[in-house]
Amino acid sequence: GAVVSQHPSWVICKSGTSVKIECRSLDFQATTMFWYRQFPKQSLMLMATSNEGSKATYEQGVEKDKFLINHASLTLSTLTVTSAHPEDSSFYICSASRGGPGTDTQYFGPGTRLTVL
Amino acid sequence: RKEVEQDPGPFNVPEGATVAFNCTYSNSASQSFFWYRQDCRKEPKLLMSVYSSGNEDGRFTAQLNRASQYISLLIRDSKLSDSATYLCVVNAGGGADGLTFGKGTHLIIQP
């Protein structure tokens, strides 16, 4: 149980285009979903936390107008990288949690590798 | 001081050896601790949670030292398949908060 899928697995796009990444919890309801980013040889960095039905909470330094997060249901969260630029090229990983005290286990999706030309 | 610090390695270890590495964290209010494993170009996968009393899972043993704010991972009888990057992960909150990852320790098991 606790499977999280992410689509697409990888995407190559031109500078200036927008890219949407989907994160789905397949066999459980995810009260909270997280979006991380990992640059080569760097640690995963939390970008934002999203709770179903409410606005996402962004970490310091992450532009909320550039990285649009929508958590419309208990099984789906999307991250849209708007007007992508080469510096946005990275490995984007989502995770999902059932939420609540004592349930902080996060289940990670397989990640999306974004390359912006 | 970084929130979660690890020696990046790489640690080159012969197959069958025992290897251990530590991780230090700066937030004394941290409540949950984990070791994750990440293979090249893959997502991190939970290896084990780290409890105050320490815990063991097969060849893997994790320990927590709250006074000194570090956690450790020991791998016995290492296998070639243990080659990976091991991430020290800390959750400062009590519930579903974002995790803080260390940069990872790269382990290479040599035949």
Side-chain angles (χ1 to χ4, degrees):
Chain A
V3 177
V4 176
S5 71
Q6 223 177 302
H7 293 284
S9 299
W10 56 267
V11 59
I12 302 172
C13 68
K14 292 182 179 179
S15 185
T17 58
S18 294
V19 175
K20 180 186 281 189
I21 303 170
E22 288 189 353
C23 177
R24 291 181 186 273
S25 57
L26 299 184
D27 53 359
F28 68 100
Q29 293 189 325
T31 304
T32 309
M33 285 187 169
F34 306 87
W35 287 95
Y36 295 84
R37 179 169 56 179
Q38 185 177 36
F39 293 107
K41 298 188 178 181
Q42 299 292 316
S43 59
L44 268 76
M45 296 296 294
L46 179 66
M47 298 175 68
T49 303
S50 74
N51 291 292
E52 185 264 339
S54 60
K55 290 185 179 180
T57 302
Y58 290 80
E59 295 299 299
Q60 193 172 13
V62 179
E63 299 173 59
K64 61 181 180 181
D65 294 329
K66 181 170 180 62
F67 299 99
L68 301 178
I69 292 173
N70 187 328
H71 193 161
S73 76
L74 284 171
T75 59
L76 173 65
S77 176
T78 60
L79 167 69
T80 301
V81 183
T82 61
S83 187
H85 290 284
E87 58 265 30
D88 298 322
S89 299
S90 187
F91 190 42
Y92 291 85
I93 307 177
C94 73
S95 72
S97 169
R98 291 183 173 92
T103 57
D104 58 356
T105 300
Q106 293 186 21
Y107 303 95
F108 285 85
T112 297
R113 196 161 298 279
L114 171 65
T115 302
V116 184
L117 303 175
Chain B
R1 183 180 171 187
K2 294 178 184 173
E3 290 191 54
V4 179
E5 268 192 272
Q6 293 180 254
D7 183 337
F11 285 48
N12 290 281
V13 174
E15 190 176 8
T18 296
V19 60
F21 23 85
N22 291 340
C23 156
T24 57
Y25 60 94
S26 61
N27 186 347
S28 60
S30 299
Q31 299 193 25
S32 304
F33 309 89
F34 310 89
W35 282 103
Y36 276 73
R37 170 194 171 128
Q38 186 174 26
D39 293 292
C40 188
R41 302 174 77 86
K42 298 286 188 182
E43 78 277 20
K45 294 188 188 250
L46 179 64
L47 180 64
M48 58 199 307
S49 302
V50 187
Y51 305 123
S52 297
S53 56
N55 50 307
E56 188 174 313
D57 183 2
R59 297 182 293 109
F60 298 83
T61 300
Q63 300 254 319
L64 167 64
N65 185 318
R66 283 191 185 271
S68 301
Q69 294 182 206
Y70 78 82
I71 66 174
S72 64
L73 178 68
L74 181 116
I75 305 174
R76 288 181 297 277
D77 187 24
S78 53
K79 312 289 183 192
L80 295 176
S81 56
D82 294 334
S83 297
T85 297
Y86 290 84
L87 306 173
C88 174
V89 184
V90 174
N91 184 341
D97 294 322
L99 301 174
T100 300
F101 284 78
K103 284 191 176 182
T105 296
H106 190 35
L107 176 65
I108 302 170
I109 306 299
Q110 297 173 324

